[in-house]
Amino acid sequence: MPSHEIKNMSTSTEVRKSEHGKVELVNIAGGTVGRFVLQKGWKWSNDIKPIVKTEWCEAPHLQYLISGKYHVKMRDGTEFDIGSGDVASVPPGHDAWVVGDEPAVGIEFVGARIATEGPKKT
């Protein structure tokens, strides 16, 4: 019978930072869960693109947005907002940015590690 596993996000030892954002990562049960806080002014193409060096975010995302709001623009031109309380699946090939003054705070279940690959900054 498999053993249980519990980890607390506040004790994350793996933190990725950019000028306007922070992602704390926890490895658990063979996967990775991330808590992200994206401040006013955060935009993927400004904050993360220089690190990952791709034209669009190529990570798939499965997220729950706790608070705030951000806008997504897909490579095909489709655009949509993700807001507080939303659970969203965003496929690869997108840009995104925070809308309004409130930080976008959420939990990432798929793609957290892919979306933040680059130098560790703790």
Side-chain angles (χ1 to χ4, degrees):
M1 183 170 188
S3 179
H4 73 282
E5 196 174 354
I6 299 171
K7 294 190 177 180
N8 192 295
M9 285 302 240
S10 65
T11 61
S12 173
T13 59
E14 193 168 354
V15 179
R16 311 280 181 165
K17 293 183 180 180
S18 66
E19 183 178 351
H20 298 102
K22 176 172 85 169
V23 179
E24 300 161 302
L25 301 169
V26 171
N27 296 312
I28 189 164
T32 302
V33 176
R35 174 173 56 192
F36 59 89
V37 178
L38 309 175
Q39 300 294 335
K40 176 182 176 180
W42 181 88
K43 185 172 184 179
W44 182 90
S45 54
N46 295 335
D47 287 71
I48 307 301
K49 180 179 177 177
I51 297 168
V52 299
K53 299 181 183 350
T54 59
E55 190 61 30
W56 298 89
C57 178
E58 297 300 337
H61 300 284
L62 180 60
Q63 302 174 331
Y64 167 64
L65 196 61
I66 298 166
S67 61
K69 181 178 183 178
Y70 67 93
H71 186 81
V72 177
K73 181 176 181 178
M74 300 300 300
R75 184 179 3 235
D76 71 2
T78 303
E79 297 190 39
F80 52 92
D81 289 327
I82 299 172
S84 178
D86 289 343
V87 176
S89 173
V90 181
H94 59 272
D95 193 1
W97 54 90
V98 171
V99 174
D101 295 330
E102 184 181 359
V105 179
I107 302 296
E108 171 91 15
F109 296 99
V110 175
R113 181 163 307 284
I114 298 167
T116 59
E117 286 298 307
K120 287 185 193 178
K121 297 178 184 176
T122 57

